[in-house]
């Protein structure tokens, strides 16, 4: 199974996917790393692993349809079968969502549907969780549809929110769980063990 990884940042989830492939926890290959940020650490990780690393962003195109068409072309050229959004902060263009219906996975650093949606990313999520007084948080892998953070949930894992936690200490606990569950979700797709109906997805 060829994975196309999209990342905007340092790429620790991307690295976790590569580690899982190396450890044979994930039987797949990453055939493309795409980033909207030319200075993303994830691009460097891809280059170090001789994985095609492409900087592409909407700004390089005159309109969204041409951007979307270029993204689909790039995905097809690299024979991408599943897209993993590993800290990708841009909305996926509708034509791409349609072309890869039920084949785009996103990792979110909270237990959706709580603490999700537009603007809920990075430290904003953990600040909101702590401010809410919630006693657990965690990570979610979900399918991507036309709205932010709304598609069917595939896998989640919780972590405790402890007295004295800061957004940084909570982020660190959640990140460890992200690195664990994203490869598990991808392997379930690789083995065709994900049952998807309208609003939910279950790993068999
Ligand atoms: C992760 O916390 C992920 O949940 C969120 O963006 C962050 C990406 O971190 N979507 P990294 O670039 O994978 O280290």
């Amino acid at each position: 199974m060829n994975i196309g990884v999209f990342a905007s940042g340092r790429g620790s989830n991307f690295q976790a996917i590569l580690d899982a492939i190396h450890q044979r926890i994930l039987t797949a290959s990453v055939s493309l790393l795409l980033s909207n940020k030319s200075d993303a650490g994830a691009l460097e990780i891809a280059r170090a692993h001789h994985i095609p690393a492409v900087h592409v962003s909407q700004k390089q195109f005159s309109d969204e349809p041409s951007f979307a068409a270029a993204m689909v072309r790039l995905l097809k050229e690299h024979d991408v079968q599943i897209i993993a959004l590993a800290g990708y902060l841009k909305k996926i263009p509708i034509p791409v969502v349609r072309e890869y219906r039920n084949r785009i996975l996103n990792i979110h650093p909270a237990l959706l549907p709580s603490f999700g949606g537009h603007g809920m990313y990075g430290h904003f999520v953990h600040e909101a969780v702590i401010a809410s007084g919630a006693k657990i948080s965690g990570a979610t892998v979900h399918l991507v549809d036309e709205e932010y953070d709304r598609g069917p949930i595939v896998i989640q894992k919780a972590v405790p929110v402890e007295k004295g936690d800061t957004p940084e200490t909570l982020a660190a606990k959640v990140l460890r769980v992200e690195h664990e569950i994203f490869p598990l979700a991808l392997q379930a797709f690789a083995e065709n063990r994900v049952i998807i109906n309208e609003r939910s997805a279950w790993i068999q």
Side-chain angles (χ1 to χ4, degrees):
M1 177 178 78
N2 285 333
I3 304 170
V5 176
F6 289 20
S8 303
R10 72 202 148 179
S12 75
N13 273 285
F14 172 38
Q15 184 64 58
I17 290 167
L18 294 176
D19 294 346
I21 291 171
H22 182 69
Q23 293 152 17
R24 304 210 185 313
I25 296 166
L26 176 52
T27 47
S29 59
V30 176
S31 59
L32 173 67
L33 184 283
L34 179 152
S35 183
N36 61 305
K37 306 285 282 182
S38 58
D39 59 350
L43 286 167
E44 288 312 311
I45 293 172
R47 291 181 188 120
H49 287 81
H50 310 295
I51 292 169
V54 182
H55 166 232
V56 64
S57 90
Q58 166 102 40
K59 299 189 192 89
Q60 298 163 335
F61 296 85
S62 52
D63 56 33
E64 186 176 46
S66 48
F67 170 57
M71 188 176 267
V72 171
R73 204 167 37 251
L74 202 58
L75 291 163
K76 298 293 181 193
E77 279 166 7
H78 292 84
D79 190 23
V80 168
Q81 294 158 289
I82 193 157
I83 297 170
L85 306 185
Y88 185 70
L89 296 181
K90 293 292 182 187
K91 211 151 182 303
I92 302 299
I94 301 292
V96 180
V97 172
R98 290 197 177 128
E99 181 70 31
Y100 283 85
R101 176 75 61 194
N102 290 337
R103 293 191 290 153
I104 308 176
L105 287 173
N106 182 49
I107 180 91
H108 183 76
L111 297 177
L112 293 176
S114 302
F115 305 107
H118 195 56
M120 271 293 166
Y121 61 89
H123 65 86
F124 297 115
V125 176
H126 307 300
E127 284 166 7
V129 168
I130 290 168
S132 76
K135 298 298 178 268
I136 59 167
S137 188
T140 302
V141 177
H142 65 97
L143 287 163
V144 170
D145 61 15
E146 287 81 353
E147 295 299 323
Y148 270 115
D149 299 334
R150 190 193 64 178
I153 291 169
V154 175
I155 187 171
Q156 293 185 302
K157 187 167 182 178
V159 299
V161 181
E162 293 157 307
K163 191 170 181 307
D165 259 330
T166 65
E168 292 72 26
T169 58
L170 181 53
K173 285 190 274 191
V174 171
L175 196 62
R176 269 196 297 279
V177 164
E178 292 178 38
H179 295 167
E180 189 187 325
I181 65 173
F182 211 174
L184 293 179
L186 287 162
Q187 181 60 9
F189 273 86
E191 295 176 345
N192 204 16
R193 284 189 287 110
V194 181
I195 309 297
I196 303 167
N197 58 40
E198 193 50 37
R199 293 304 311 148
S200 69
W202 296 94
I203 293 179
Q204 276 188 330

